[in-house]
Amino acid sequence: MNKKIIEATGLTRHFRVLERREGLSGAFKDLFSRNYRTVKAVDGVSFSVDRGEILGLIGPNGAGKSTTIKLLTGVLKPTAGGVTVDGFVPFSDRRRYVANIGVVLGQRSQLWWNLPVIESFKVLKEIYRVPDAVYERNLKLFNDLVDLKRHYHTPVRKLSLGQKSICDIAASFLHDPALIFLDEPTIGLDVSVKKNVRKIIRTLNRELGTTIIITTHDTGDIGNLCPRLILIDKGTIVYDGPTARFNKAFGSFRTLHLDMSDMGEDERGALEGRLAGCFPCREKISVREEGDGWVTLTLNQDEVPLLDVLNHCLKTCRVKDVKIEDISLEEVIIKSYEGALA
Amino acid sequence: MRRYAAIVRNMFLESLNFRADFIFMVLGNLVGVFLAYYLWRAVYAGSGGTLHGLGFLQAFAYVAVSGCIFTMIETWAEWDLAMSISRGDIVLRLHLPLDLHLTTLVESLGIFLTRLVFTGVPFLLLIIFAFGVPVAAGINLIFFTVSLFFSFLISFNIDFIVGVTAFSFESVLGLKLIKDAVILFLSGAVIPLAFFPEALRPVLMVLPFQAMYYTPVNLLLGEKSIPESVLMLLIQAGWIAAFMTAGRLFHRKILGKLTVSGG
Ligand SMILES: Nc1ncnc2c1ncn2[C@@H]1O[C@H](COP(=O)(O)OP(=O)(O)OP(=O)(O)O)[C@@H](O)[C@H]1O
Ligand SMILES: [Mg+2]
């Protein structure tokens, strides 16, 4: 068996989007001449995935993660380039191919809305022709992890978001798929349910050897689950490599949000120069105006202690409020383009 | 086949959940039947018994049974399809190792069967026993049942084509209502074909729409001989073949074009 389960080369998907003109007269003009704009949702990505891997796909909103998933699951036809998954060409072989994969979409449920959960499982068992033994084993595996039985007879519409997510994941792997694609499975879930979801994914991967591709905005998902990640921005791959290296490059970065709305604009503007003078370091502390009086500083703790910078700001500026966060994905991308991961 | 049967079963169970819908559908049908009754009685008042070769009960039966067929075969498949394409829920069907056209068909079939059991049959009984429409209890019932299923298949494929084309228009509902109105009118479901101008009737008879209403009603009322009935069924089957083929072509065409919104 081929060690590589996914091989994508130059995978591309463009959309032609109608630019609608504004207002009534615009709508009238649209009837006669239409303006199209091309969105390069996925623009020539190449990567491969090994059997049994857990791969995380991250990127800001609109980066092209979901479109990539749709190309990999055979729902969308690539504009150019190609991909093979487990020996299939997903779009052309869709019907045979999807029998071999599971898909979980955080925003949509594949369960029958008005029927008890178990009815959805039963119909999926028929659709995928799952042997009784496999079906029983997988349900048991699930029941040992999270107590699913108590939801069997509840209509799906009466489940909470978290309960539904868990049931959707269960539904996606009843047929022993070789791969499972999860597009933002933890969206909107609270911490304890997120933990359960991660536990389930890890167990499926370990016990059944299922290859997992997961997209998320939650860095916790990546840190806890994925030894490898791919960072996508504007349809292209910015980083593809070990999560550990990614964390080493960015783990010591912090963003410091300061509310300086009591200060004048020029006073705030002078801050960047002053910080550069006080804290000389290889990579200067970036300062960004948020427009509402808040200022965002991004700094690398390996080079300059966060507390010193904070103290300096508190002493020299009128600061009303402070928030400290990990580096944001947007900053990571800017820094990656500047060569932080090279 | 078992795979698709499982979907029919769940769709049947699921549509049982919409009890309020059923109550309103039954009430709507009831109002429709009474309206048709009084309307056609008024039309026949002072006519001396027959108009265009049809007696009052016959004319009433045509319209009432047609209305009943409409509520059974009208499963909103085009609406569901257009909505699931424009909202992107269509991905959920594409993730299944099944044929999209057939999956949509059997989902629609599940709804058709619920309607058949819970509104169709009771209303036919009402029309026959309460209003005294003469329906023989013979082979005509079998012809009718087959023909009704054929009508559903024609109607579904028209809906499928409308659904996959309609999603790019802003008004799916508008298109749907126009389609229903045109079909009901041209098929003789609102006004019996006998009442149409002499010149128009041959045209209507070569259009596919009469096969959806005129044929099953005729077969139920058992006014045709057995060979004639079989011929009518064959013609209906011919229309199914034509529309199935058209549905398949649209299905092929749409799969490559789907952009699948959302996510
Ligand atoms: N069906 C479509 N038609 C037109 N444009 C689309 C379509 N689907 C996606 N796009 C565009 O392609 C780009 C990538 O979208 P995609 O949904 O893949 O992003 P994403 O990385 O999943 O974002 P998010 O994190 O917000 O879910 C966006 O600019 C989006 O507007
Ligand atoms: Mg997305």
Side-chain angles (χ1 to χ4, degrees):
Chain A
M1 217 183 331
N2 194 344
K3 181 166 167 271
K4 298 253 178 281
I5 194 162
I6 300 182
E7 276 176 292
T9 40
L11 196 57
T12 300
R13 175 67 207 213
H14 294 175
F15 290 108
R16 237 160 58 101
V17 191
L18 179 62
E19 292 270 86
R20 286 189 192 282
R21 278 166 272 215
E22 269 175 50
L24 200 60
S25 67
F28 192 69
K29 280 184 203 148
D30 277 344
L31 286 177
F32 298 101
S33 76
R34 304 193 142 191
N35 276 348
Y36 287 99
R37 178 173 53 98
T38 301
V39 177
K40 299 179 174 174
V42 175
D43 203 20
V45 305
S46 303
F47 61 94
S48 60
V49 180
D50 286 345
R51 220 166 265 284
E53 227 185 312
I54 304 186
L55 171 69
L57 280 179
I58 59 170
N61 289 127
K65 303 178 296 293
S66 299
T67 308
T68 305
I69 297 284
K70 285 174 196 162
L71 290 166
L72 295 178
T73 51
V75 168
L76 281 181
K77 190 177 176 178
T79 311
V83 59
T84 55
V85 186
D86 209 11
F88 293 96
V89 177
F91 183 79
S92 343
D93 305 335
R94 184 187 67 84
R95 273 176 61 192
R96 275 181 310 134
Y97 164 64
V98 294
N100 204 23
I101 64 168
V103 188
V104 178
L105 305 177
Q107 292 98 324
R108 302 180 210 277
S109 174
Q110 60 169 321
L111 307 169
W112 294 68
W113 190 241
N114 287 301
L115 298 187
V117 174
I118 193 74
E119 296 292 347
S120 290
F121 290 172
K122 280 194 211 148
V123 78
L124 290 170
K125 176 176 183 294
E126 290 296 332
I127 288 174
Y128 290 95
R129 303 198 173 104
V130 186
D132 290 340
V134 174
Y135 179 77
E136 296 300 335
R137 182 200 66 196
N138 286 346
L139 279 185
K140 182 174 179 308
L141 180 69
F142 231 88
N143 273 313
D144 292 346
L145 281 172
V146 283
D147 183 16
L148 202 63
K149 271 207 191 83
R150 67 201 154 103
H151 300 314
Y152 278 0
H153 300 289
T154 316
V156 173
R157 63 167 191 275
K158 292 189 179 161
L159 296 177
S160 77
L161 180 66
Q163 293 161 346
K164 199 159 73 231
S165 296
I166 303 269
C167 291
D168 255 303
I169 297 178
S172 75
F173 93 109
L174 289 176
H175 56 292
D176 267 356
L179 300 94
I180 295 187
F181 297 90
L182 303 109
D183 194 357
E184 305 197 31
T186 56
I187 194 163
L189 304 185
D190 72 26
V191 181
S192 74
V193 180
K194 267 185 189 169
K195 258 195 183 153
N196 267 338
V197 168
R198 289 175 194 155
K199 187 170 75 178
I200 292 165
I201 293 172
R202 223 177 291 121
T203 311
L204 291 181
N205 176 257
R206 201 182 46 228
E207 309 258 316
L208 304 173
T210 316
T211 308
I212 310 269
I213 315 290
I214 177 169
T215 84
T216 179
H217 284 281
D218 187 330
T219 43
D221 289 341
I222 299 289
N224 282 291
L225 280 175
C226 313
R228 171 180 164 210
L229 69 85
I230 291 182
L231 171 61
I232 302 184
D233 180 46
K234 300 201 183 74
T236 57
I237 293 181
V238 178
Y239 173 79
D240 176 358
T243 306
R245 184 148 70 88
F246 186 86
N247 285 342
K248 210 163 130 228
F250 296 110
S252 54
F253 279 94
R254 291 292 179 275
T255 43
L256 186 57
H257 300 278
L258 303 167
D259 184 353
M260 300 187 173
S261 47
D262 283 355
M263 293 165 65
E265 211 165 293
D266 35 337
E267 260 184 294
R268 288 200 297 260
L271 187 62
E272 184 157 15
R274 211 167 58 238
L275 285 174
C278 295
F279 302 99
C281 46
R282 199 167 47 85
E283 203 173 346
K284 80 178 166 52
I285 301 167
S286 79
V287 180
R288 200 177 65 224
E289 283 270 354
E290 297 297 349
D292 52 359
W294 283 81
V295 170
T296 304
L297 310 185
T298 308
L299 53 87
N300 185 345
Q301 289 205 95
D302 289 345
E303 300 209 38
V304 46
L306 173 73
L307 286 181
D308 292 1
V309 176
L310 182 58
N311 269 328
H312 176 87
C313 292
L314 292 177
K315 254 183 256 158
T316 59
C317 308
R318 284 187 302 280
V319 177
K320 280 164 68 184
D321 196 358
V322 176
K323 275 188 280 184
I324 298 173
E325 283 170 8
D326 285 347
I327 186 168
S328 70
L329 219 45
E330 287 72 22
E331 297 282 345
V332 165
I333 286 165
I334 293 169
K335 296 213 173 296
S336 306
Y337 284 133
E338 289 167 356
L341 285 158
Chain B
M1 225 50 241
R2 269 186 65 182
R3 316 203 278 175
Y4 292 100
I7 295 178
V8 176
R9 174 182 168 276
N10 268 23
M11 205 66 202
F12 185 87
L13 289 178
E14 179 146 293
S15 44
L16 286 185
N17 277 281
F18 299 99
R19 263 172 237 149
D21 277 7
F22 274 110
I23 292 170
F24 284 111
M25 219 176 324
V26 168
L27 282 177
N29 273 4
L30 212 54
V31 172
V33 170
F34 275 99
L35 274 181
Y37 186 81
Y38 288 107
L39 184 82
W40 287 96
R41 219 169 63 168
V43 170
Y44 272 85
S47 71
T50 56
L51 284 172
H52 303 277
L54 288 185
F56 161 68
L57 263 187
Q58 271 174 312
F60 165 70
Y62 265 100
V63 176
V65 176
S66 292
C68 203
I69 294 175
F70 175 71
T71 52
M72 288 188 268
I73 65 179
E74 154 45 14
T75 59
W76 289 75
E78 74 289 67
W79 172 261
D80 278 348
L81 197 58
M83 282 300 126
S84 82
I85 294 173
S86 78
R87 293 205 191 106
D89 290 334
I90 193 92
V91 283
L92 298 170
R93 289 184 209 170
L94 293 174
H95 290 156
L96 300 175
L98 301 175
D99 182 272
L100 180 68
H101 182 236
L102 274 184
T103 309
T104 320
L105 171 62
V106 295
E107 282 180 8
S108 197
L109 179 63
I111 299 176
F112 166 71
L113 291 178
T114 351
R115 301 276 182 77
L116 176 70
V117 174
F118 293 97
T119 61
V121 171
F123 266 89
L124 287 176
L125 294 178
L126 179 84
I127 292 168
I128 296 168
F129 292 109
F131 290 90
V133 170
V135 172
I139 189 150
N140 58 325
L141 292 180
I142 294 169
F143 284 149
F144 170 70
T145 311
V146 174
S147 174
L148 184 61
F149 181 65
F150 281 7
S151 296
F152 161 75
L153 288 178
I154 297 176
S155 170
F156 166 77
N157 279 293
I158 293 178
D159 284 2
F160 186 85
I161 294 167
V162 171
V164 294
T165 30
F167 82 95
S168 54
F169 296 96
E170 302 287 88
S171 170
V172 178
L173 190 59
L175 206 66
K176 177 203 157 34
L177 293 178
I178 292 172
K179 179 213 73 183
D180 286 342
V182 168
I183 292 181
L184 284 176
F185 186 71
L186 296 182
S187 63
V190 190
I191 302 167
L193 288 180
F195 282 72
F196 279 72
E198 202 71 54
L200 208 57
R201 246 179 288 157
V203 179
L204 295 179
M205 289 311 285
V206 297
L207 289 180
F209 310 119
Q210 47 83 23
M212 296 165 68
Y213 291 96
Y214 179 77
T215 301
V217 177
N218 248 296
L219 292 177
L220 177 71
L221 299 180
E223 287 162 351
K224 297 277 191 285
S225 68
I226 290 185
E228 271 178 315
S229 301
V230 172
L231 182 66
M232 285 175 99
L233 280 179
L234 286 178
I235 293 174
Q236 229 187 346
W239 283 117
I240 295 177
F243 279 103
M244 250 332 187
T245 313
R248 295 303 302 174
L249 286 178
F250 270 81
H251 172 241
R252 272 257 298 282
K253 205 171 127 237
I254 195 70
L255 280 183
K257 288 222 178 123
L258 273 186
T259 54
V260 187
S261 4

